[in-house]
Amino acid sequence: MSAQSAHEAAPGDTAGDAMPDAMADASAELAAIRLSIDNIDAALVHMLAERFKFTQKVGRLKAASGMPPSDPERERAQIARLRQIALEAQLDPAFAEKWFNFVVAEVIHHHEQLATGAIATSSSAPSSAPGDAS
Amino acid sequence: MSAQSAHEAAPGDTAGDAMPDAMADASAELAAIRLSIDNIDAALVHMLAERFKFTQKVGRLKAASGMPPSDPERERAQIARLRQIALEAQLDPAFAEKWFNFVVAEVIHHHEQLATGAIATSSSAPSSAPGDAS
């Protein structure tokens, strides 16, 4: 199942060497899984970057039209939807909700700064900060 | 730029109606952006679900072979890499790091439970909880 370790068993090896080989196998398997995790993390960061482009746009729109930075009804609907998607994908819905609330909190903080003028509202403003949750 | 509102300006409308129209335009634009945010969120939750399948595998592997639940050197390398990816994607690297630490904390908590036997280590264990960060 895992990649063969560099630590090959010599002919005649007995149970005495089984543990080091098992450890080498576990290390090789861990390294392989980590490559997949790294790929997924790169995808997640890119998706987050794309999400924040949209939420920054929402933040500027809300600030320019005087809408409040947060929208509790929208957030409730988002949480219910994401919990359902998590369930179907076999992810703990409680984790999905906690994760979403973390992202939203960052974003509302940014909106409040936009609303109070602490951040420029023009589209040429630096785009490095998170935008809007909802 | 935004979708035309249902609230069309009648011929001869003057500045007096500009504000309601602008608000309707802003609402229509907000609704359109939110559809994109919803699509991205669904993708993010699915990617997180996939990430946790791998980290659960790591958690079981570490528990079975006696490796510690956390790996500070691996985490430092992950953070440096994700900050770089965030920069290139125009996402605030500080947010990317904060987000990563949030995910890792959840996952290490899960590993510790695996290591202490609070969670079954067999692959038939319920897969609803987060797995391993690193």
Side-chain angles (χ1 to χ4, degrees):
Chain A
M1 188 163 111
S2 63
Q4 187 62 38
S5 74
H7 185 81
E8 291 275 301
D13 259 3
T14 56
D17 281 331
M19 206 51 202
D21 267 1
M23 279 302 285
D25 278 353
S27 291
E29 194 176 348
L30 180 61
I33 298 171
R34 284 176 166 176
L35 289 178
S36 291
I37 291 172
D38 285 347
N39 282 346
I40 290 174
D41 281 346
L44 281 165
V45 168
H46 280 104
M47 295 295 287
L48 279 172
E50 214 47 36
R51 186 188 203 280
F52 284 130
K53 279 192 208 167
F54 282 114
T55 57
Q56 283 171 330
K57 213 168 159 181
V58 169
R60 288 191 297 267
L61 194 65
K62 284 182 170 180
S65 58
M67 299 184 214
S70 70
D71 184 338
E73 194 184 336
R74 158 80 172 157
E75 281 159 38
R76 273 192 294 275
Q78 283 175 294
I79 287 169
R81 177 175 174 269
L82 291 181
R83 286 185 68 102
Q84 186 57 38
I85 291 172
L87 265 178
E88 285 162 17
Q90 295 191 284
L91 179 69
D92 181 6
F95 172 78
E97 180 170 349
K98 206 170 160 188
W99 173 84
F100 179 76
N101 286 335
F102 168 83
V103 173
V104 168
E106 284 293 311
V107 152
I108 287 174
H109 174 65
H110 181 80
H111 276 208
E112 286 166 349
Q113 287 182 294
L114 274 177
T116 60
I119 303 176
T121 56
S122 87
S123 58
S124 63
S127 63
S128 61
D132 179 285
S134 52
Chain B
M1 189 164 111
S2 64
Q4 187 62 39
S5 74
H7 184 81
E8 291 275 304
D13 259 3
T14 56
D17 281 330
M19 207 52 203
D21 267 0
M23 278 303 285
D25 280 353
S27 291
E29 194 176 349
L30 181 61
I33 298 171
R34 283 176 166 176
L35 289 178
S36 291
I37 291 171
D38 285 347
N39 283 346
I40 289 174
D41 281 346
L44 281 165
V45 168
H46 280 104
M47 294 296 287
L48 279 172
E50 214 48 35
R51 186 187 202 279
F52 285 132
K53 280 192 207 167
F54 282 114
T55 55
Q56 283 170 330
K57 213 168 160 183
V58 169
R60 288 191 297 268
L61 194 65
K62 284 183 170 180
S65 57
M67 298 183 214
S70 71
D71 184 338
E73 195 183 336
R74 158 80 172 157
E75 281 158 38
R76 272 192 294 275
Q78 282 174 296
I79 287 169
R81 177 175 174 269
L82 291 181
R83 286 185 68 102
Q84 186 56 39
I85 291 172
L87 264 178
E88 285 162 17
Q90 294 190 285
L91 178 69
D92 180 6
F95 172 78
E97 179 170 351
K98 207 170 160 188
W99 173 84
F100 179 76
N101 286 334
F102 169 83
V103 173
V104 168
E106 284 293 311
V107 151
I108 287 174
H109 174 65
H110 181 79
H111 276 209
E112 286 166 348
Q113 288 182 296
L114 274 178
T116 59
I119 303 177
T121 56
S122 86
S123 58
S124 63
S127 63
S128 61
D132 179 285
S134 52

